[in-house]
Amino acid sequence: MLHLGLGAFHRAHQADYLQDLADAGDRQWMLAGGNLRADPTATLEALRQQGGRYTLETVTPDGERRYRQLDVIRQVLPYEPSLAGLITLGAQLRTRIVSFTVTEAGYYLDPAGGLDEQAPELASDLQGLTRCTIYGAAAAVLQERMRRGSGPVTLLNCDNLRHNGDRFRAGLMAFLERRGQHALRDWAEANVCTPNSMVDRITPRPGPEVRERVRAATGVDDAAAVMAEDFRQWVIEDRFCHGRPGWKWVGVEMVDSVRPYEEAKIRILNATHSCIAWAGTLLGYRYIHEGTRDPRVRQLAHAYVTEDVLPCLDRPGRRSPLDLAAYRDTVLDRFGNAALCDTHQRVAMDGYSKIPGFIAPTLRERLAAGQPAHAVARLPALFLAFLQLWHRGMLPWDYQDQAMDPAAAHAVCSSADPVAALCGDRQLWGDLAGQPALVDALRQGLRDISFMTGALLD
């Protein structure tokens, strides 16, 4: 397996499952990987120096820590703009799966689901000037596989994009078509599988304190150590072109359709995570567990799921295979894990991708059914208040949002009616943009959270 993006999440999640398989005696599969971008070079270099070995620290909600050495990453490629090493490795016959972890914004999709060709990085890749997007990298790997006759390959998404395999495939085919690579497009249609998947494990950015704890507990000075909660989940549609590891033996759920799992995870876990990050920031907290343990914030999150999400995901004619109420409670317990020290800065990022992906579907369904949407409307209201902090330079840290146009966001915040301006943004709402029901819902949402916004939106 070749993985693109050797960040903390991959090393705490996919690599951990493969380590389980190796420890059980199945060492047929190994990982290799590298990054599509120049950062974080320090971690990548540390992994290279350590031969791909590193320590995973996991922590329970009760604060119990465990340490594990992982050695399934056998090859770490240094970053180079041409991605020559990754392309060569991805094109080898023995490489049967190319996986990747991409943020929602990293797919460069517009509200209609097509490629956003106005995005500078995507435009550069389309012109063949760079290979800095997942499409540019995948196209180069597939081109070389076709040239060498290396045969079929599975491209496996490991991220939070809804229907990630299907949407990535559509984006990739459009990318190849736009570049005029018709022969490669036809080859990919016949030789590439893109199963949908759902991944879950809270993995904060590892700070220097993780390295210190690992040293104290194991005696190993590990510059690539990573930490995560003890909970993990991975659900994959069992559609692979050229073999796969025996993941089902180590707890991976291999299913026909990932849809009910991803809908529950995205709408309950991911959206609630954002809700707590925005609300906690407004109340002056730094960490996710602080906001989760504030009864006012927890009630916002609990009501959002109970009143608006559960009726959408579990209803006559479309019953969920999950116990959604139990899942909601487990998620909130996980977010209250103080030992993770997961920051609002990490979770609050990329709001311009999270609103359309995590929150808008529930709002759209509730409004279309003529049902109240008060609880879900509080989430974009929180984001607008959060955005006002950013607009006024009042955030205590740097806000990163790959999909946001800063000038347009400042214009929303400084307009005479910020609620109407935010609701009119088609990037956020698609065909729901500007509808009176949406505007009314957000105005009510702001009134509901006035206890934490004060005069911020007056």
Side-chain angles (χ1 to χ4, degrees):
M1 292 176 61
L2 170 66
H3 189 80
L4 308 179
L6 287 180
F9 181 76
H10 166 71
R11 292 184 291 120
H13 189 263
Q14 296 101 284
D16 192 39
Y17 279 104
L18 198 62
Q19 188 70 51
D20 279 352
L21 206 57
D23 291 349
D26 183 354
R27 287 189 169 265
Q28 297 179 78
W29 292 81
M30 71 175 199
L31 277 162
N35 289 346
L36 301 184
R37 298 174 181 271
D39 56 339
T41 54
T43 301
L44 201 67
E45 183 56 29
L47 275 173
R48 291 185 63 227
Q49 293 292 330
Q50 296 172 191
R53 291 181 295 276
Y54 63 97
T55 308
L56 170 63
E57 174 192 61
T58 56
V59 59
T60 69
D62 295 328
E64 179 185 357
R65 298 181 189 273
R66 295 180 181 175
Y67 298 88
R68 181 186 203 189
Q69 302 290 323
L70 285 82
D71 65 0
V72 290
I73 299 179
R74 302 297 179 81
Q75 189 173 356
V76 180
L77 284 77
Y79 170 76
E80 50 184 327
S82 70
L83 307 183
L86 291 174
I87 293 166
T88 298
L89 190 58
Q92 291 181 6
L93 182 63
R94 64 177 178 154
T95 300
R96 301 190 176 197
I97 299 172
V98 178
S99 57
F100 44 91
T101 303
V102 180
T103 66
E104 295 81 16
Y107 285 94
Y108 301 96
L109 300 177
D110 61 26
L115 288 179
D116 179 8
E117 297 185 21
Q118 302 306 310
E121 291 178 328
L122 183 63
S124 179
D125 274 19
L126 280 169
Q127 296 172 41
L129 302 176
T130 54
R131 290 169 177 161
C132 58
T133 72
I134 187 59
Y135 303 113
V141 168
L142 297 180
Q143 179 74 53
E144 187 64 10
R145 285 189 76 88
M146 183 177 72
R147 189 188 71 81
R148 294 187 182 196
S150 297
V153 66
T154 298
L155 302 182
L156 180 63
N157 308 58
C158 301
D159 49 54
N160 289 325
L161 187 73
R162 182 183 275 101
H163 318 316
N164 50 19
D166 294 340
R167 295 177 73 183
F168 165 71
R169 186 183 190 89
L172 176 63
M173 296 307 171
F175 181 88
L176 297 177
E177 191 71 28
R178 177 70 177 77
R179 290 175 72 172
Q181 293 181 286
H182 305 300
L184 180 57
R185 186 188 188 285
D186 293 343
W187 183 90
E189 284 281 15
N191 291 279
V192 174
C193 293
T194 54
N196 297 305
S197 73
M198 187 276 278
V199 298
D200 189 7
R201 185 170 228 174
I202 299 173
T203 307
R205 290 190 183 122
E209 70 280 357
V210 177
R211 183 175 182 176
E212 292 305 314
R213 286 198 301 268
V214 168
R215 191 200 325 252
T218 69
V220 176
D221 184 20
D222 189 342
V226 65
M227 69 94 68
E229 64 174 336
D230 64 331
F231 178 94
R232 65 178 187 177
Q233 187 180 20
W234 197 5
V235 185
I236 314 174
E237 291 177 350
D238 203 356
R239 297 187 285 113
F240 288 75
C241 291
H242 199 36
R244 61 162 176 80
W247 281 313
K248 66 179 181 179
W249 304 116
V250 292
V252 180
E253 298 171 78
M254 308 302 301
V255 299
D256 293 330
S257 172
V258 80
R259 180 184 177 91
Y261 301 90
E262 71 179 6
E263 286 299 319
K265 195 255 181 171
I266 287 172
R267 298 202 201 193
I268 296 177
L269 185 142
N270 292 125
T272 300
H273 221 180
S274 297
C275 168
I276 292 170
W278 296 329
T281 300
L282 291 168
L283 290 171
Y285 296 127
R286 179 183 179 188
Y287 296 111
I288 290 294
H289 70 267
E290 295 174 316
T292 305
R293 294 180 177 191
D294 185 311
R296 300 166 297 176
V297 177
R298 191 180 182 99
Q299 177 56 29
L300 278 176
H302 189 279
Y304 153 68
V305 177
T306 306
E307 296 175 20
D308 287 348
V309 175
L310 298 192
C312 288
L313 298 187
D314 190 19
R315 59 178 187 259
R318 195 174 85 179
R319 291 299 184 188
S320 174
L322 293 81
D323 183 338
L324 297 175
Y327 183 64
R328 171 203 60 205
D329 296 342
T330 298
V331 162
L332 289 172
D333 288 345
R334 290 166 61 195
F335 291 165
N337 188 337
L340 289 173
C341 291
D342 201 7
T343 64
H344 291 147
Q345 180 179 18
R346 184 189 79 85
V347 180
M349 66 186 292
D350 288 329
Y352 267 79
S353 295
K354 291 173 178 175
I355 292 287
F358 300 170
I359 297 163
T362 301
L363 250 171
R364 182 176 289 107
E365 286 185 37
R366 295 293 282 172
L367 294 176
Q371 298 296 319
H374 304 310
V376 62
R378 294 167 193 152
L379 273 62
L382 286 168
F383 178 65
L384 178 57
F386 171 87
L387 204 62
Q388 288 285 4
L389 286 180
W390 164 81
H391 169 66
R392 300 179 189 188
M394 296 169 62
L395 284 177
W397 29 262
D398 179 46
Y399 175 59
Q400 299 176 4
D401 196 326
Q402 190 176 346
M404 179 179 72
D405 177 345
H410 279 302
V412 166
C413 293
S414 60
S415 68
D417 188 346
V419 172
L422 187 80
C423 291
D425 190 332
R426 289 191 62 82
Q427 178 185 349
L428 294 175
W429 304 108
D431 57 4
L432 194 60
Q435 291 190 17
L438 175 64
V439 178
D440 291 344
L442 257 68
R443 292 200 196 283
Q444 179 60 52
L446 279 176
R447 289 191 287 270
D448 292 345
I449 63 167
S450 60
F451 69 89
M452 68 176 69
T453 59
L456 192 61
L457 292 170
D458 288 351

